[in-house]
Amino acid sequence: MTDVVQVGYSSDIDDRTLHEIYLWPFAEGVRAGVGSIMAAYNHVNGSLCTQNSQILNGLLKDELGFQGFVVSDWYAQFGGVSSALAGLDMAMPGDGAIPLLGDSFWNYELSTAILNGTIPVERLNDMVTRIVATWFQMGQDDDYPEPNFSTNTEDATGPLYPGALFSPSGVVNQFVNVQGNHNTIAREVARDAITLLKNVNQTLPLSTNASLSVFGTDAGPNSGGLNSCSDMGCDNGILTMGWGSGSARLPYVITPQQAIQNISANAQFHISDSFPSVTPAADDIAIVFINADSGENYITVESNPGDRTTAGLNAWHGGDDLVVDAAAKYSTVIVVIHTVGPILMEKWIDLPSVKAVLVAHLPGQEAGNSLTDVLFGDYSPSGHLPYTIPHNESEYPASVGLIDQWFGQIQDQFTERIYIDYRYFLQANITPRFPFGYGLSYTTFNFSDATVTTGYKTTPQPAPRAGGAQGGNPALWDTVFTVSLRVTNTGTRSGRAVVQLYVELPGDTLGVDLPPRQLRQFEKTSILAPGESETLSLQVTRKDLSVWDVIVQDWKAPVNGAGVKFWIGESVAVEDMQIVCTVGQGCESA
Ligand SMILES: *[C@@H]1O[C@H](CO)[C@@H](O)[C@H](O)[C@H]1NC(C)=O
Ligand SMILES: *[C@@H]1O[C@H](CO)[C@@H](O)[C@H](O)[C@H]1NC(C)=O
Ligand SMILES: *[C@@H]1O[C@H](CO)[C@@H](O)[C@H](O)[C@H]1NC(C)=O
Ligand SMILES: *[C@@H]1O[C@H](CO)[C@@H](O)[C@H](O)[C@H]1NC(C)=O
Ligand SMILES: *[C@@H]1O[C@H](CO)[C@@H](O)[C@H](O)[C@H]1NC(C)=O
Ligand SMILES: *[C@@H]1O[C@H](CO)[C@@H](O)[C@H](O)[C@H]1NC(C)=O
Ligand SMILES: *[C@@H]1O[C@H](CO)[C@@H](O)[C@H](O)[C@H]1NC(C)=O
Ligand SMILES: *[C@@H]1O[C@H](CO)[C@@H](O)[C@H](O)[C@H]1NC(C)=O
């Protein structure tokens, strides 16, 4: 989030929020043995990430025990001495303030700063040790193969060292086909994510002979050709992924149109975002495809500079109107949404003709096949929302709508603290349109026979300190409770259930404010036939029950889990809970 005229914004985050919400993914990565971590363009508390000693030395290297090296994002280094002392180990691409002139913040300057005593030589040794040790750790010293593809070009030949001023040419792309059976996996992943939000009177699944009319460009191909937009920087045809430097080129895409055509002999396609003049028969079914895109800010798509600032949380390309128009003509409308995140649905979700709604997220190359797997009932949908869907934007905390400004640095104050997404809706007592974790199936499930077993020792243990190993204090990852339960398919079709375990912590005992429930574990069953059961065990770690004590600078959890409750259900909403367990007192129906 930076450009040539404006510095990246500053994330001003308090210590507890940083620990309880934003630091955990880094702790997990360090614990898994990651070799290198990149410092961002942004600032934290007004101090640039590449020269923020508290972030790099304090949190990453001391508290989380990171043993690898910190690399700057490209051109994110803005000082030589300051970044070296703050814990940056590798500068990329290594230039000074003005790129490509041949000067550098480090290079000779680093030698000078060491010789004149500004930077201790031990810091240089530490940088080198971290970089070289990682090279050995990843086995790159031992028969490590040369790359046989290039991310810089799709040509077969090109510069062998593309960063160098002069480079010999050679074969850079061997076009090795590594696809194997990845299509099966891609289809499974996309299918498993498809989330059913509404299904009046079992409108879905469809019979293969149903008379279908399909609307929307999102059902069809990119009209400019596959991968025709650089770094996916456009919203044209089926939306398979967002845009930016992290996007990938599709080897092929099965569009919804192709997949539906392949199954149904009775489907008509209107691959357009304006509603055509049609006269449907009484039992014709409309399937309306809409989408919403976002990406990285070096590309602006339809006036959206990365974030959806112009589109807001609305469907793109007049998607709401397309649904409303279809609902006026057809008595049965199925809405399929490909989206990067929550969209608003209030203009049509309660219309009587809108009988079914599927969120297919960002499905990748097997978009069409994964969708027809669910539409025609070969599989029950088993995805659950990874975010809350509000009625409108004003239901979010004000701080979410970060105000753009032309002069000076944007300060994102994180005033919502730990109350992001469902935590905020719970705390503010707002019932959203669809709660976090929500998702229907073609069948129903009953959760029963829950037990909680303890892994807590009753003899005193040394008080855990925040550090101690890669990822922090290893005691944080001890399993302290195991929650087991039986899941039974009580409906009439096969399907997979997702058991979601939310933790309620005793805020009074811990001396902190807390949301009433936080998702800590979830588990998906295998495909259960009607009447079939499966027993699942969910492990709750000490980390799952801990809050950050800003005074002591360490984690704390309720002694022996006293006052901890586990809510087990199919979304975060109370009405979707099936079981509640209280530590020491057993479990009952919620
Ligand atoms: C940022 O500032 C807040 C408020 O003073 C403080 O709680 C927090 O520890 C600081 N974080 C870092 C990484 O400096
Ligand atoms: C030491 O050298 C560095 C790099 O040239 C420079 O930034 C710094 O000001 C110097 N310090 C002193 C005390 O001369
Ligand atoms: C291409 O590179 C990968 C990764 O090093 C290697 O596994 C593969 O065997 C190579 N293929 C060919 C044809 O060189
Ligand atoms: C569901 O089907 C029943 C029986 O056909 C019908 O009476 C009812 O109106 C339908 N409900 C909706 C919301 O369409
Ligand atoms: C589709 O076929 C089923 C029986 O296989 C029949 O009950 C139903 O009426 C048919 N629907 C249409 C729209 O033709
Ligand atoms: C069409 O369906 C058949 C079998 O139902 C399948 O083998 C084929 O791969 C499908 N074609 C496409 C393009 O998905
Ligand atoms: C947003 O939705 C809430 C219902 O949750 C409603 O009270 C409020 O008036 C709505 N605001 C706008 C601007 O539509
Ligand atoms: C689930 O199963 C339990 C135990 O068999 C039973 O007591 C409970 O009523 C069932 N709940 C539902 C919603 O079917």
Side-chain angles (χ1 to χ4, degrees), residues 207 209-211 283:
S207 84
N209 61 354
S211 168
D283 57 356

Side-chain angles (χ1 to χ4, degrees), residues 126-444:
D126 180 41
M127 289 178 187
V128 174
T129 306
R130 286 172 175 275
I131 293 167
V132 176
T134 304
W135 184 68
F136 282 117
Q137 192 202 359
M138 301 297 162
Q140 300 200 3
D141 59 315
D142 188 19
D143 280 341
Y144 199 71
E146 293 287 314
N148 48 29
F149 70 95
S150 166
T151 55
N152 291 302
T153 174
E154 289 180 79
D155 297 339
T157 56
L160 293 175
Y161 311 106
L165 211 46
F166 304 102
S167 165
S169 276
V171 174
V172 290
N173 275 311
Q174 295 175 25
F175 303 110
V176 183
N177 187 337
V178 295
Q179 290 185 57
N181 66 345
H182 298 176
N183 62 328
T184 311
I185 297 158
R187 181 172 179 165
E188 248 173 61
V189 170
R191 179 207 304 143
D192 260 17
I194 294 175
T195 307
L196 179 65
L197 296 183
K198 182 176 181 181
N199 194 19
V200 175
N201 273 354
Q202 300 179 349
T203 298
L204 292 177
L206 297 170
S207 84
T208 51
N209 61 354
S211 168
L212 304 174
S213 304
V214 176
F215 300 94
T217 53
D218 181 67
N222 182 332
S223 59
L226 189 69
N227 302 318
S228 57
C229 307
S230 172
D231 293 350
M232 297 290 153
C234 66
D235 181 19
N236 187 335
I238 168 75
L239 182 70
T240 57
M241 67 183 97
W243 76 78
S245 55
S247 63
R249 284 190 282 269
L250 293 161
Y252 65 88
V253 66
I254 307 290
T255 65
Q257 179 181 15
Q258 288 170 318
I260 292 170
Q261 219 154 25
N262 196 27
I263 289 173
S264 166
N266 205 0
Q268 294 194 339
F269 296 90
H270 306 275
I271 305 300
S272 158
D273 293 320
S274 13
F275 194 73
S277 158
V278 287
T279 320
D283 57 356
D284 282 359
I285 296 174
I287 310 181
V288 183
F289 285 81
I290 62 176
N291 72 29
D293 202 358
S294 71
E296 194 179 347
N297 73 331
Y298 70 96
I299 302 175
T300 293
V301 176
E302 300 179 33
S303 310
N304 295 281
D307 288 342
R308 294 180 276 165
T309 54
T310 301
L313 296 185
N314 304 302
W316 287 34
H317 304 156
D320 289 337
D321 292 341
L322 196 63
V323 177
V324 170
D325 289 348
K329 290 263 180 144
Y330 290 79
S331 56
T332 300
V333 174
I334 296 159
V335 183
V336 178
I337 306 164
H338 293 112
T339 182
V340 291
I343 69 161
L344 304 179
M345 305 177 176
E346 293 311 300
K347 289 192 178 136
W348 45 262
I349 188 73
D350 280 335
L351 293 177
S353 316
V354 175
K355 296 270 166 46
V357 177
L358 286 171
V359 177
H361 305 282
L362 300 170
Q365 67 205 40
E366 287 286 332
N369 290 331
S370 56
L371 182 69
T372 50
D373 281 346
V374 169
L375 273 183
F376 294 101
D378 293 333
Y379 293 85
S380 287
S382 61
H384 287 256
L385 286 178
Y387 43 70
T388 304
I389 295 187
H391 294 94
N392 56 48
E393 277 198 49
S394 45
E395 288 181 345
Y396 287 116
S399 53
V400 167
L402 182 62
I403 297 153
D404 211 352
Q405 60 187 56
W406 286 100
F407 300 105
Q409 186 182 36
I410 296 172
Q411 304 292 317
D412 188 347
Q413 312 238 309
F414 287 72
T415 48
E416 74 284 351
R417 302 172 46 237
I418 57 175
Y419 298 96
I420 58 169
D421 198 77
Y422 70 87
R423 294 172 173 86
Y424 174 78
F425 282 77
L426 289 174
Q427 185 218 26
N429 204 15
I430 298 170
T431 303
R433 171 50 75 173
F434 293 110
F436 174 88
Y438 191 75
L440 302 169
S441 170
Y442 295 155
T443 186
T444 52

Side-chain angles (χ1 to χ4, degrees), residues 533-581:
S533 294
E534 182 174 334
T535 296
L536 294 180
S537 288
L538 297 96
Q539 318 288 321
V540 179
T541 64
R542 184 171 281 115
K543 147 189 187 297
D544 293 332
L545 305 183
S546 295
V547 297
W548 181 250
D549 187 322
V550 296
I551 308 293
V552 180
Q553 287 293 296
D554 205 351
W555 298 97
K556 62 178 175 186
V559 176
N560 293 337
V564 172
K565 283 187 179 177
F566 301 119
W567 294 84
I568 303 161
E570 294 187 275
S571 98
V572 73
V574 148
E575 57 271 23
D576 292 330
M577 293 297 170
Q578 294 210 26
I579 293 174
V580 57
C581 304

